[in-house]
Amino acid sequence: MADLSKITCIEDLRAIAQRRVPRMFYDYADSGSYTQGTYRANEEDFQKIKLRQRVAVNMQGRSTRTTMIGQDVTMPVAIAPTGLTGMQHADGEILAAKAAKAFGIPFTLSTMSICSLEDIAAHTEHHPFWFQLYVMRDKAFMERLIDRAKAANCSALQVTLDLQILGQRHKDIKNGLSTPPKPTLKNLLNLATKPRWCMGMLGTQRRFMGNIVGHVQGVSDMGSLASWTADQFDPTLNWNDVEWIKKRWGGKLILKGLMDAEDARLAAQTGADALVVSNHGGRQLDGAPSSIEALPSMVEAAGKDIEVWMDGGIRSGQDVLKARALGAQGTLIGRSFLYGLGAFGQEGVTKALSIIHKELDTTMAFCGHTNINQVGAEILVPGTYPQPFPKPFSAA
């Protein structure tokens, strides 16, 4: 058991993960597209929002419990779907799912995960979890994925809408990102400095994309996987696809990757249960607003028929509280849990969740509240937080 008593913030976990995870996989998780301007703004714009400190308020009996699409959660946080999580740490998706289960928050498995749907179900005793689906050209494969998600006891399907084409991430190209790592001299030298990671990977058979390899005809190794995946993201994705998925799935549906008010209104019309205000962690359209800056417009446009969540830049419980104050029913965390996973495995994910929960609970109290469900914009200093964007000009 690692001694995590001196780990006090997510930044501590990030620094350790950077030392322990091979460069190509650390950079894959911790970078944005092109200039990385939106990636940086996701964090920086949270810091501009100031909190109102209240005093002489009874702070006993605090509760951060709430619901996300009707599911009880310890705090308004879920683990976001992140690709190649099992390359941050051996069996990473399994470890993160177990940590989330124990903490009482949802875990979301990515289509592009290393561990499979069946792996997560088997190692969490069929505890309900969420599954993230990409819209692909191979509709028969999508049908099988949806059916496998049902069989694995997934309680919600999260459809990502902002990856029809890929934004360029310079570090991935420079590092020659692949799973497993290509045996170049540069990569081998870097791996030699990561003995803990290497020992973990030697101890598992899960080194490829478990939801794909063995489930698609002709895809049995890295070469065939790479060529198949490169041609699969569907640039023709439209709202009719969402309707088809909704009917095929038949359960709780979450739409992820929305940043525009018009898209929020269209999402509400689909009958989906939640939408996630997200710019893919700054990994797609560089130059887009930060997620927290876009949130008020999305809440206003979505109305009451669909829950609004957000992700992007959350590194503390204060960030969660600010998002909640601006109308987000829930939040998703990606890099924050990945740092913990890369640093210390399952214990690190638990530590990341504990850090965020403690900061959320303490900051809520300092702002004069004891119940997360009663928090609103009144806890924020006027003039420091984003307002809904003006409606865009349209020619007559």
PDB file of all heavy atoms in Angstrom, residues 232-247:
ATOM      1  N   GLN A 232     -13.043   4.294 -39.520  1.00  0.00           N
ATOM      2  CA  GLN A 232     -14.351   3.999 -38.929  1.00  0.00           C
ATOM      3  C   GLN A 232     -15.153   5.216 -38.464  1.00  0.00           C
ATOM      4  O   GLN A 232     -16.374   5.194 -38.485  1.00  0.00           O
ATOM      5  CB  GLN A 232     -14.186   3.019 -37.768  1.00  0.00           C
ATOM      6  CG  GLN A 232     -14.136   1.581 -38.223  1.00  0.00           C
ATOM      7  CD  GLN A 232     -15.368   1.178 -39.018  1.00  0.00           C
ATOM      8  OE1 GLN A 232     -16.492   1.341 -38.578  1.00  0.00           O
ATOM      9  NE2 GLN A 232     -15.144   0.668 -40.222  1.00  0.00           N
ATOM     10  N   PHE A 233     -14.510   6.270 -37.987  1.00  0.00           N
ATOM     11  CA  PHE A 233     -15.277   7.421 -37.507  1.00  0.00           C
ATOM     12  C   PHE A 233     -16.088   7.991 -38.670  1.00  0.00           C
ATOM     13  O   PHE A 233     -15.560   8.243 -39.751  1.00  0.00           O
ATOM     14  CB  PHE A 233     -14.357   8.479 -36.897  1.00  0.00           C
ATOM     15  CG  PHE A 233     -13.679   7.995 -35.640  1.00  0.00           C
ATOM     16  CD1 PHE A 233     -12.315   7.747 -35.610  1.00  0.00           C
ATOM     17  CD2 PHE A 233     -14.420   7.758 -34.493  1.00  0.00           C
ATOM     18  CE1 PHE A 233     -11.694   7.276 -34.463  1.00  0.00           C
ATOM     19  CE2 PHE A 233     -13.805   7.296 -33.337  1.00  0.00           C
ATOM     20  CZ  PHE A 233     -12.447   7.059 -33.317  1.00  0.00           C
ATOM     21  N   ASP A 234     -17.374   8.197 -38.428  1.00  0.00           N
ATOM     22  CA  ASP A 234     -18.310   8.486 -39.518  1.00  0.00           C
ATOM     23  C   ASP A 234     -18.532   9.982 -39.679  1.00  0.00           C
ATOM     24  O   ASP A 234     -19.206  10.607 -38.853  1.00  0.00           O
ATOM     25  CB  ASP A 234     -19.641   7.794 -39.234  1.00  0.00           C
ATOM     26  CG  ASP A 234     -20.584   7.824 -40.423  1.00  0.00           C
ATOM     27  OD1 ASP A 234     -20.277   8.527 -41.408  1.00  0.00           O
ATOM     28  OD2 ASP A 234     -21.628   7.154 -40.365  1.00  0.00           O
ATOM     29  N   PRO A 235     -17.993  10.590 -40.753  1.00  0.00           N
ATOM     30  CA  PRO A 235     -18.168  12.034 -40.946  1.00  0.00           C
ATOM     31  C   PRO A 235     -19.597  12.414 -41.324  1.00  0.00           C
ATOM     32  O   PRO A 235     -19.930  13.595 -41.329  1.00  0.00           O
ATOM     33  CB  PRO A 235     -17.184  12.352 -42.087  1.00  0.00           C
ATOM     34  CG  PRO A 235     -17.054  11.079 -42.847  1.00  0.00           C
ATOM     35  CD  PRO A 235     -17.171   9.986 -41.821  1.00  0.00           C
ATOM     36  N   THR A 236     -20.446  11.440 -41.640  1.00  0.00           N
ATOM     37  CA  THR A 236     -21.836  11.750 -42.017  1.00  0.00           C
ATOM     38  C   THR A 236     -22.774  11.767 -40.810  1.00  0.00           C
ATOM     39  O   THR A 236     -23.984  11.914 -40.977  1.00  0.00           O
ATOM     40  CB  THR A 236     -22.362  10.730 -43.042  1.00  0.00           C
ATOM     41  OG1 THR A 236     -22.541   9.451 -42.408  1.00  0.00           O
ATOM     42  CG2 THR A 236     -21.404  10.595 -44.224  1.00  0.00           C
ATOM     43  N   LEU A 237     -22.226  11.595 -39.597  1.00  0.00           N
ATOM     44  CA  LEU A 237     -23.030  11.580 -38.370  1.00  0.00           C
ATOM     45  C   LEU A 237     -24.029  12.733 -38.343  1.00  0.00           C
ATOM     46  O   LEU A 237     -23.676  13.889 -38.576  1.00  0.00           O
ATOM     47  CB  LEU A 237     -22.102  11.661 -37.155  1.00  0.00           C
ATOM     48  CG  LEU A 237     -22.729  12.001 -35.798  1.00  0.00           C
ATOM     49  CD1 LEU A 237     -23.707  10.922 -35.372  1.00  0.00           C
ATOM     50  CD2 LEU A 237     -21.634  12.173 -34.747  1.00  0.00           C
ATOM     51  N   ASN A 238     -25.308  12.429 -38.020  1.00  0.00           N
ATOM     52  CA  ASN A 238     -26.344  13.454 -37.911  1.00  0.00           C
ATOM     53  C   ASN A 238     -27.369  13.024 -36.870  1.00  0.00           C
ATOM     54  O   ASN A 238     -27.250  11.943 -36.275  1.00  0.00           O
ATOM     55  CB  ASN A 238     -26.997  13.711 -39.281  1.00  0.00           C
ATOM     56  CG  ASN A 238     -27.612  12.452 -39.865  1.00  0.00           C
ATOM     57  OD1 ASN A 238     -28.611  11.943 -39.358  1.00  0.00           O
ATOM     58  ND2 ASN A 238     -27.004  11.922 -40.929  1.00  0.00           N
ATOM     59  N   TRP A 239     -28.380  13.861 -36.671  1.00  0.00           N
ATOM     60  CA  TRP A 239     -29.353  13.594 -35.614  1.00  0.00           C
ATOM     61  C   TRP A 239     -30.166  12.334 -35.882  1.00  0.00           C
ATOM     62  O   TRP A 239     -30.713  11.730 -34.948  1.00  0.00           O
ATOM     63  CB  TRP A 239     -30.257  14.801 -35.411  1.00  0.00           C
ATOM     64  CG  TRP A 239     -29.515  15.970 -34.837  1.00  0.00           C
ATOM     65  CD1 TRP A 239     -29.126  17.099 -35.495  1.00  0.00           C
ATOM     66  CD2 TRP A 239     -29.043  16.106 -33.488  1.00  0.00           C
ATOM     67  NE1 TRP A 239     -28.429  17.928 -34.636  1.00  0.00           N
ATOM     68  CE2 TRP A 239     -28.375  17.361 -33.408  1.00  0.00           C
ATOM     69  CE3 TRP A 239     -29.117  15.317 -32.346  1.00  0.00           C
ATOM     70  CZ2 TRP A 239     -27.789  17.819 -32.235  1.00  0.00           C
ATOM     71  CZ3 TRP A 239     -28.531  15.769 -31.176  1.00  0.00           C
ATOM     72  CH2 TRP A 239     -27.878  17.003 -31.120  1.00  0.00           C
ATOM     73  N   ASN A 240     -30.275  11.907 -37.131  1.00  0.00           N
ATOM     74  CA  ASN A 240     -30.965  10.651 -37.424  1.00  0.00           C
ATOM     75  C   ASN A 240     -30.224   9.459 -36.823  1.00  0.00           C
ATOM     76  O   ASN A 240     -30.844   8.474 -36.400  1.00  0.00           O
ATOM     77  CB  ASN A 240     -31.117  10.457 -38.939  1.00  0.00           C
ATOM     78  CG  ASN A 240     -32.088  11.439 -39.558  1.00  0.00           C
ATOM     79  OD1 ASN A 240     -33.041  11.877 -38.909  1.00  0.00           O
ATOM     80  ND2 ASN A 240     -31.863  11.807 -40.807  1.00  0.00           N
ATOM     81  N   ASP A 241     -28.897   9.547 -36.781  1.00  0.00           N
ATOM     82  CA  ASP A 241     -28.113   8.492 -36.149  1.00  0.00           C
ATOM     83  C   ASP A 241     -28.422   8.410 -34.660  1.00  0.00           C
ATOM     84  O   ASP A 241     -28.505   7.321 -34.084  1.00  0.00           O
ATOM     85  CB  ASP A 241     -26.615   8.741 -36.355  1.00  0.00           C
ATOM     86  CG  ASP A 241     -26.188   8.589 -37.804  1.00  0.00           C
ATOM     87  OD1 ASP A 241     -26.447   7.525 -38.390  1.00  0.00           O
ATOM     88  OD2 ASP A 241     -25.610   9.546 -38.355  1.00  0.00           O
ATOM     89  N   VAL A 242     -28.582   9.572 -34.034  1.00  0.00           N
ATOM     90  CA  VAL A 242     -28.913   9.597 -32.602  1.00  0.00           C
ATOM     91  C   VAL A 242     -30.263   8.918 -32.374  1.00  0.00           C
ATOM     92  O   VAL A 242     -30.431   8.131 -31.432  1.00  0.00           O
ATOM     93  CB  VAL A 242     -28.938  11.048 -32.077  1.00  0.00           C
ATOM     94  CG1 VAL A 242     -29.433  11.086 -30.635  1.00  0.00           C
ATOM     95  CG2 VAL A 242     -27.554  11.676 -32.191  1.00  0.00           C
ATOM     96  N   GLU A 243     -31.224   9.182 -33.242  1.00  0.00           N
ATOM     97  CA  GLU A 243     -32.544   8.567 -33.111  1.00  0.00           C
ATOM     98  C   GLU A 243     -32.451   7.045 -33.278  1.00  0.00           C
ATOM     99  O   GLU A 243     -33.076   6.283 -32.528  1.00  0.00           O
ATOM    100  CB  GLU A 243     -33.490   9.150 -34.167  1.00  0.00           C
ATOM    101  CG  GLU A 243     -34.914   8.615 -34.096  1.00  0.00           C
ATOM    102  CD  GLU A 243     -35.614   8.923 -32.781  1.00  0.00           C
ATOM    103  OE1 GLU A 243     -35.248   9.927 -32.133  1.00  0.00           O
ATOM    104  OE2 GLU A 243     -36.521   8.147 -32.406  1.00  0.00           O
ATOM    105  N   TRP A 244     -31.635   6.597 -34.244  1.00  0.00           N
ATOM    106  CA  TRP A 244     -31.448   5.149 -34.457  1.00  0.00           C
ATOM    107  C   TRP A 244     -30.825   4.494 -33.229  1.00  0.00           C
ATOM    108  O   TRP A 244     -31.272   3.429 -32.768  1.00  0.00           O
ATOM    109  CB  TRP A 244     -30.568   4.937 -35.685  1.00  0.00           C
ATOM    110  CG  TRP A 244     -30.195   3.505 -35.918  1.00  0.00           C
ATOM    111  CD1 TRP A 244     -30.965   2.542 -36.499  1.00  0.00           C
ATOM    112  CD2 TRP A 244     -28.963   2.865 -35.535  1.00  0.00           C
ATOM    113  NE1 TRP A 244     -30.285   1.335 -36.511  1.00  0.00           N
ATOM    114  CE2 TRP A 244     -29.061   1.505 -35.934  1.00  0.00           C
ATOM    115  CE3 TRP A 244     -27.793   3.310 -34.909  1.00  0.00           C
ATOM    116  CZ2 TRP A 244     -28.036   0.595 -35.717  1.00  0.00           C
ATOM    117  CZ3 TRP A 244     -26.765   2.400 -34.701  1.00  0.00           C
ATOM    118  CH2 TRP A 244     -26.886   1.060 -35.090  1.00  0.00           C
ATOM    119  N   ILE A 245     -29.796   5.141 -32.663  1.00  0.00           N
ATOM    120  CA  ILE A 245     -29.130   4.600 -31.468  1.00  0.00           C
ATOM    121  C   ILE A 245     -30.097   4.557 -30.300  1.00  0.00           C
ATOM    122  O   ILE A 245     -30.143   3.580 -29.542  1.00  0.00           O
ATOM    123  CB  ILE A 245     -27.889   5.446 -31.116  1.00  0.00           C
ATOM    124  CG1 ILE A 245     -26.813   5.262 -32.189  1.00  0.00           C
ATOM    125  CG2 ILE A 245     -27.337   5.067 -29.743  1.00  0.00           C
ATOM    126  CD1 ILE A 245     -25.676   6.255 -32.091  1.00  0.00           C
ATOM    127  N   LYS A 246     -30.879   5.607 -30.127  1.00  0.00           N
ATOM    128  CA  LYS A 246     -31.834   5.677 -29.016  1.00  0.00           C
ATOM    129  C   LYS A 246     -32.820   4.515 -29.081  1.00  0.00           C
ATOM    130  O   LYS A 246     -33.106   3.872 -28.058  1.00  0.00           O
ATOM    131  CB  LYS A 246     -32.576   7.013 -29.052  1.00  0.00           C
ATOM    132  CG  LYS A 246     -33.492   7.261 -27.854  1.00  0.00           C
ATOM    133  CD  LYS A 246     -34.058   8.665 -27.910  1.00  0.00           C
ATOM    134  CE  LYS A 246     -34.862   8.976 -26.651  1.00  0.00           C
ATOM    135  NZ  LYS A 246     -36.078   8.133 -26.547  1.00  0.00           N
ATOM    136  N   LYS A 247     -33.329   4.224 -30.267  1.00  0.00           N
ATOM    137  CA  LYS A 247     -34.282   3.119 -30.414  1.00  0.00           C
ATOM    138  C   LYS A 247     -33.599   1.778 -30.179  1.00  0.00           C
ATOM    139  O   LYS A 247     -34.162   0.886 -29.527  1.00  0.00           O
ATOM    140  CB  LYS A 247     -34.900   3.159 -31.809  1.00  0.00           C
ATOM    141  CG  LYS A 247     -35.879   4.315 -32.023  1.00  0.00           C
ATOM    142  CD  LYS A 247     -36.450   4.296 -33.428  1.00  0.00           C
ATOM    143  CE  LYS A 247     -37.443   5.447 -33.627  1.00  0.00           C
ATOM    144  NZ  LYS A 247     -37.977   5.472 -35.015  1.00  0.00           N
TER     145      LYS A 247
END
